[in-house]
């Protein structure tokens, strides 16, 4: 069974940093693109970032470009999101999700994790 | 960015009703359209990709149609467990964008 388990969320002050992790199991992690999607309290879904399988090509939403870094450790079957210079508007539940192929171009996510909550507040 | 507009934003229907949700893209996206279901406090669940293809394990009461700019999600016979918010998403162009959601409630 494919499983994605996020961790690393918490309360952080504006300007601070946090690293989210997403532990994957039940599939050959290195072969699949992965992504982060967030949801602010009471709001809709917002795509954040994606990384391809294998060659590790990355892509970011303009709202996080230059502040967030997506990466993966295929030896640990784990996806990461390093978040720096955090702002109040980054407060959200962050979900990791898997793509059905190694590329994210012209594909959408098929399996989602349960999410981890990030709160940016002083 | 491509804007995705869903209608209605909410609806209330009876058990057994046929329910249709509409999603419109601000420009043509071919059939690069997905639908997700999200129950309160839970993660989204993938329902449909490529406008009309069901994800593995999704019951056949869900169906999708459309191409270009106009798309629909239909629930053929609404059940209590279908109470949720439904989101469309385009993946034709970066960045991926979602519709604002349609909240489906049971009368």
């Amino acid at each position: 069974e494919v499983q994605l388990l996020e961790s690393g969320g918490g309360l952080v002050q504006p300007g601070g940093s946090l690293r989210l992790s997403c532990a994957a199991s039940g599939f050959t992690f290195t072969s699949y693109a992965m992504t982060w999607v967030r949801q602010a309290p009471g709001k809709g879904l917002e795509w954040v970032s994606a990384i391809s399988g294998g060659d590790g090509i990355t892509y970011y939403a303009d709202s996080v470009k230059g502040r967030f870094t997506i990466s993966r450790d295929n030896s640990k079957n784990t996806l990461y999101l390093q978040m720096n210079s955090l702002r109040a508007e980054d407060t959200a539940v962050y979900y990791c999700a898997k793509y059905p192929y190694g590329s994210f171009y012209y594909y959408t996510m098929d399996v989602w994790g349960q999410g981890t909550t990030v709160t940016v507040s002083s | 960015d491509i804007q995705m507009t869903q209608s209605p934003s909410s609806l209330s229907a009876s058990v057994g009703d046929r329910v249709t949700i509409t999603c419109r893209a601000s420009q043509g996206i071919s059939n690069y359209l997905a639908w997700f279901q999200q129950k309160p406090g839970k993660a989204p669940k993938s329902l449909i990709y490529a406008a009309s293809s069901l994800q593995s394990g999704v019951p056949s009461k869900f169906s999708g149609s459309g191409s270009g700019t106009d798309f629909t999600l239909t629930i053929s016979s609404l059940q209590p467990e279908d109470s949720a918010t439904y989101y469309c998403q385009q993946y034709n162009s970066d960045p991926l964008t979602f519709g604002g959601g349609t909240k489906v409630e049971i009368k």
Side-chain angles (χ1 to χ4, degrees):
Chain A
E1 179 190 4
V2 173
Q3 289 193 337
L4 300 170
L5 186 62
E6 301 94 333
S7 61
L11 174 64
V12 60
Q13 292 187 340
S17 298
L18 211 55
R19 188 177 82 158
L20 307 183
S21 300
C22 172
S25 60
F27 63 103
T28 305
F29 181 71
T30 189
S31 297
Y32 295 91
M34 300 291 294
T35 190
W36 290 97
V37 175
R38 68 184 180 183
Q39 186 171 37
K43 302 297 184 181
L45 301 168
E46 179 190 15
W47 172 80
V48 172
S49 182
I51 184 168
S52 63
D55 52 8
I57 296 171
T58 60
Y59 193 73
Y60 299 93
D62 285 346
S63 59
V64 307
K65 197 173 298 182
R67 300 188 299 123
F68 290 11
T69 302
I70 190 172
S71 63
R72 61 193 299 158
D73 185 336
N74 291 331
S75 68
K76 295 182 178 179
N77 290 347
T78 301
L79 175 73
Y80 300 103
L81 186 67
Q82 177 67 44
M83 304 185 296
N84 298 331
S85 303
L86 282 162
R87 307 165 180 168
E89 53 264 36
D90 296 318
T91 294
V93 176
Y94 285 73
Y95 298 100
C96 72
K98 167 190 165 292
Y99 282 86
Y101 299 100
S103 172
F104 49 75
Y105 294 113
Y106 297 110
Y107 296 111
T108 186
M109 51 287 285
D110 58 357
V111 179
W112 297 64
Q114 89 293 341
T116 187
T117 301
V118 173
T119 303
V120 184
S121 175
S122 55
Chain B
D1 298 2
I2 296 177
Q3 307 302 315
M4 306 300 292
T5 304
Q6 288 183 234
S7 61
S9 57
S10 66
L11 66 89
S12 181
S14 300
V15 171
D17 281 354
R18 182 181 182 89
V19 169
T20 298
I21 299 168
T22 297
C23 178
R24 175 165 289 175
S26 60
Q27 63 190 75
I29 59 170
S30 184
N31 69 333
Y32 295 108
L33 191 283
W35 290 97
F36 302 93
Q37 175 194 63
Q38 187 178 34
K39 297 183 178 180
K42 299 296 186 181
K45 174 186 176 182
S46 301
L47 293 180
I48 287 172
Y49 65 97
S52 61
S53 297
L54 260 59
Q55 292 281 1
S56 176
V58 173
S60 58
K61 63 180 174 180
F62 293 98
S63 63
S65 65
S67 184
T69 60
D70 295 317
F71 301 87
T72 59
L73 172 70
T74 299
I75 308 173
S76 61
S77 178
L78 191 68
Q79 299 301 309
E81 63 267 23
D82 302 326
S83 178
T85 299
Y86 294 83
Y87 294 94
C88 63
Q89 177 221 42
Q90 69 79 23
Y91 52 101
N92 179 78
S93 303
D94 292 322
L96 306 182
T97 48
F98 293 87
T102 296
K103 186 174 184 179
V104 174
E105 296 178 325
I106 309 296
K107 279 183 185 175

